[in-house]
Amino acid sequence: MKLMIKQFAVLSILIIFASSVPVYAGVPMTTAETAVRKVLDVLKDPKLKNPSAKEIKKEKLRVIYEDMFDEIEFSKRTLVRNWNKFTPAQRTEFVKLFEQVLEKAYIDKILDYSNEKVNFYKENMISDNQAEIQSKIVTSSKEIPIFYRMILKDGKWKVYDVVVENVSLVQNYRTQFNDILSKDTPEQLLETLRKKVSKQ
Amino acid sequence: MKGYLALSVLLIFLMTGCAHSPRQSSSVLPSAQSAPQILLASTSGEIPVKASGKSADAINDEYKDEENIDYADDKFKEEKVEIADPLEPVNRVMHLFNDKLYLWALKPAAQGYKAVTPEVLRISARNFFSNLRFPSRFLSCLLQSDFSGAATEAGRFTINTVWGIGGLMDPASGKALDLQMQDTDLGQTLGVWGVGQGFYIVWPVYGPSSPRDSIDIAGDNLLYPVSYINPWYAWLGVWGYEKINATSLRIGDYEALKDAAIDPYVAFRDAYIQYRLKRVKARKAKVASSMPSVEESGSANPVLPAKGN
């Protein structure tokens, strides 16, 4: 009997814990925050402080953000109508190149991280499957608001847009691609991206 | 046995207690859906599920033609964020000029200055200049009939000038007083009044702008004490120092956006328009919420036009 009570107590505590944690934050917010905390853990890891560990860090970060971002959704939303002008093979290449362009541009800024605080403070449910998570990075000299827009697909919340200081990345690239693809073909855009990725 | 009963009562109590709270606050989710999500999210939080977890079919599906590609039902769809750019050829030259000005002059100067000046001092210098820009923020608040904002600004100016050693420090925004800087300017004021951006202009040195925000640059300079420094080279020195100081606190931001852009000129134009549009919208929301009585009376208030941005 005693054993049974013990088991039951453990079980009920587990149930309470499992059911109450998401209630306070909401699933999208928890998902985004967990991913960002994992990024911070890698950046803060004392074992990886050595400059030679940069590649290991990058590889670890890649795993985290591939899990966090929906790069296909992101690509589609930046191309909008132009998506259908690409052949399936071009689409696959576009998604891959675009991801590399973003990684190249932002990785040094991310690796520069030096103990800034990250606060997640608000979750806006926009619809059943869309949410906006508001966070800010607080440094000694400034606060940078960063919002994550997330979508629910196959039971998993993924980020498809990041809004930094009021500027939506999807919107920003949409304007650029619209401008470029009104003059150039998809192949020419891909060539531009290929050059951008291979350039050191 | 008694303990068993008590435990189960406690359990039921806690479970129902937990189930109550989300109804009011966050749960727009239909409850039938939320349970499996919670389970999935909590498991996936532990093990990074890579894309390889998906079946090949699902991936091919993702790359198919998209019917609803306009995202017309997108809740985040902004009203038009494009801007006319009839001066594009000239603007592109100016953009290039500003780019080189930053990379060849401003950035090296800021890096050198950063190397020899502790951050605390640079933040103090920024606070000092920001405090001097009080007249333009104060007037903007008044012109938007944001009287609480104007009062906050007046309070901030007094407190920071007297207790913050002439504005070098910012005690007003501390926890005790919580008087935050009113993030507003004359361009926003015109926006709140319903004046649109017009078209895109890139000014040398000042950068992205529009006819509306050019009025802001002019008005801001008129209200900024530093503009009245005589002789001109002393003014230039102070003005240049302010720019270098501000840049030293933001090195890398410009480069990141530029490197990430496919067409940097278009990227900066879009970022500028998005940024300004949302700032004007935020001010409009603040003004509207701070004076509900005016809206109720239904009087045609010239400060709060129904449309335009």
Side-chain angles (χ1 to χ4, degrees):
Chain A
M1 193 65 209
K2 233 185 182 155
L3 188 75
M4 201 178 135
I5 291 172
K6 213 174 181 181
Q7 277 177 337
F8 186 77
V10 169
L11 189 73
S12 45
I13 287 165
L14 272 179
I15 290 171
I16 291 162
F17 193 66
S19 59
S20 62
V21 165
V23 165
Y24 294 111
V27 183
M29 178 125 121
T30 318
T31 314
E33 193 169 0
T34 312
V36 171
R37 297 274 167 240
K38 273 196 252 170
V39 169
L40 295 184
D41 284 345
V42 172
L43 294 174
K44 277 189 271 195
D45 194 343
K47 277 177 281 175
L48 300 172
K49 274 277 175 280
N50 208 313
S52 60
K54 202 173 161 188
E55 284 307 313
I56 306 170
K57 259 193 202 172
K58 277 191 190 176
E59 190 47 52
K60 285 194 168 192
L61 293 177
R62 204 169 286 136
V63 173
I64 300 168
Y65 65 64
E66 272 176 7
D67 183 51
M68 179 186 185
F69 285 98
D70 186 338
E71 72 277 8
I72 300 174
E73 185 72 25
F74 184 67
S75 299
K76 273 186 195 168
R77 281 171 185 265
T78 56
L79 284 179
V80 209
R81 230 161 303 170
N82 293 311
W83 175 263
N84 289 346
K85 290 187 197 155
F86 284 59
T87 66
Q90 283 176 325
R91 286 172 201 163
T92 321
E93 192 186 355
F94 176 84
V95 172
K96 214 169 72 194
L97 285 171
F98 195 20
E99 208 182 346
Q100 285 170 309
V101 167
L102 289 173
E103 182 187 314
K104 263 190 79 170
Y106 291 107
I107 193 75
D108 284 333
K109 233 177 147 32
I110 294 169
L111 289 175
D112 256 355
Y113 170 87
S114 52
N115 274 325
E116 289 92 349
K117 280 194 199 73
V118 181
N119 291 333
F120 280 79
Y121 61 94
K122 198 171 174 202
E123 172 183 286
N124 284 335
M125 289 299 300
I126 304 300
S127 64
D128 289 352
N129 64 348
Q130 265 178 292
E132 185 178 67
I133 311 304
Q134 307 194 344
S135 76
K136 59 185 173 194
I137 297 179
V138 184
T139 74
S140 46
S141 63
K142 57 191 180 257
E143 279 186 10
I144 306 161
I146 298 188
F147 300 169
Y148 299 91
R149 289 178 178 172
M150 304 184 80
I151 193 162
L152 179 68
K153 269 193 200 168
D154 307 322
K156 193 164 164 37
W157 284 95
K158 288 219 171 194
V159 176
Y160 70 86
D161 191 7
V162 183
V163 185
V164 184
E165 273 186 288
N166 284 336
V167 178
S168 145
L169 270 193
V170 163
Q171 179 65 49
N172 195 265
Y173 281 103
R174 189 182 290 174
T175 312
Q176 293 181 56
F177 292 145
N178 257 335
D179 195 78
I180 292 167
L181 290 168
S182 67
K183 293 169 276 187
D184 298 350
T185 62
E187 182 48 39
Q188 281 168 308
L189 174 59
L190 286 174
E191 190 49 41
T192 313
L193 291 177
R194 277 183 217 124
K195 275 196 196 129
K196 218 176 152 51
V197 168
S198 60
K199 202 170 66 187
Q200 277 310 313
Chain B
M1 203 59 210
K2 231 181 186 173
Y4 181 80
L5 206 74
L7 257 177
S8 42
V9 169
L10 184 73
L11 176 66
I12 290 162
F13 181 75
L14 280 172
M15 294 272 288
T16 48
C18 286
H20 267 289
S21 50
R23 289 292 167 277
Q24 298 137 353
S25 54
S26 76
S27 186
V28 192
L29 290 167
S31 50
Q33 261 189 28
S34 56
Q37 277 162 30
I38 289 163
L39 288 175
L40 277 164
S42 53
T43 49
S44 60
E46 296 306 313
I47 319 141
V49 184
K50 285 197 76 177
S52 56
K54 283 182 192 168
S55 71
D57 271 358
I59 288 175
N60 286 337
D61 250 20
E62 290 263 55
Y63 285 103
K64 272 208 313 232
D65 273 17
E66 192 69 48
E67 308 237 320
N68 179 27
I69 197 72
D70 282 334
Y71 295 99
D73 56 342
D74 190 359
K75 300 294 185 297
F76 289 118
K77 203 169 169 89
E78 317 283 349
E79 60 258 55
K80 218 165 154 265
V81 275
E82 308 248 308
I83 186 169
D85 193 1
L87 304 176
E88 187 173 335
V90 188
N91 282 345
R92 276 189 186 268
V93 175
M94 284 307 155
H95 172 80
L96 209 65
F97 172 79
N98 287 340
D99 182 65
K100 297 297 176 235
L101 185 71
Y102 174 79
L103 291 177
W104 293 347
L106 193 53
K107 190 184 172 189
Q111 276 172 325
Y113 167 70
K114 185 182 178 182
V116 295
T117 320
E119 192 178 35
V120 198
L121 292 184
R122 288 184 282 130
I123 294 172
S124 294
R126 188 189 59 184
N127 288 344
F128 175 77
F129 287 116
S130 164
N131 194 46
L132 286 182
R133 286 194 187 273
F134 150 77
S136 130
R137 287 192 302 267
F138 181 69
L139 186 68
S140 297
C141 283
L142 284 185
L143 291 174
Q144 293 167 27
S145 15
D146 174 12
F147 300 112
S148 70
T152 306
E153 270 302 322
R156 274 179 58 82
F157 182 69
T158 318
I159 290 160
N160 285 346
T161 307
V162 177
W163 300 104
I165 322 173
L168 286 172
M169 287 186 288
D170 186 5
S173 71
K175 275 212 178 93
L177 294 163
D178 196 27
L179 294 173
Q180 299 304 329
M181 186 166 78
Q182 299 298 299
D183 199 6
T184 189
D185 56 55
L186 296 168
Q188 269 174 307
T189 306
L190 290 171
V192 170
W193 288 357
V195 180
Q197 283 278 28
F199 54 91
Y200 188 56
I201 304 173
V202 182
W203 291 110
V205 186
Y206 279 102
S209 191
S210 68
R212 183 186 85 194
D213 289 343
S214 300
I215 296 176
D216 173 57
I217 297 175
D220 199 51
N221 275 323
L222 277 175
L223 293 167
Y224 190 37
V226 168
S227 318
Y228 297 96
I229 294 176
N230 241 332
W232 66 270
Y233 46 83
W235 165 80
L236 191 69
V238 174
W239 182 86
Y241 172 72
E242 184 189 359
K243 283 261 177 258
I244 290 168
N245 185 65
T247 308
S248 77
L249 291 163
R250 299 214 68 135
I251 287 177
D253 290 7
Y254 174 81
E255 292 86 334
L257 185 53
K258 187 187 161 197
D259 288 347
I262 317 299
D263 182 344
Y265 170 77
V266 177
F268 278 100
R269 184 180 70 199
D270 177 79
Y272 176 73
I273 295 312
Q274 279 197 55
Y275 179 72
R276 292 299 290 177
L277 186 77
K278 277 179 206 160
R279 279 180 45 130
V280 168
K281 257 169 82 180
R283 285 306 292 182
K284 268 189 192 166
K286 181 170 192 273
V287 172
S289 69
S290 68
M291 26 185 261
S293 57
V294 177
E295 272 176 89
E296 273 163 25
S297 71
S299 67
N301 184 353
V303 182
L304 280 172
K307 53 176 184 164
N309 40 60

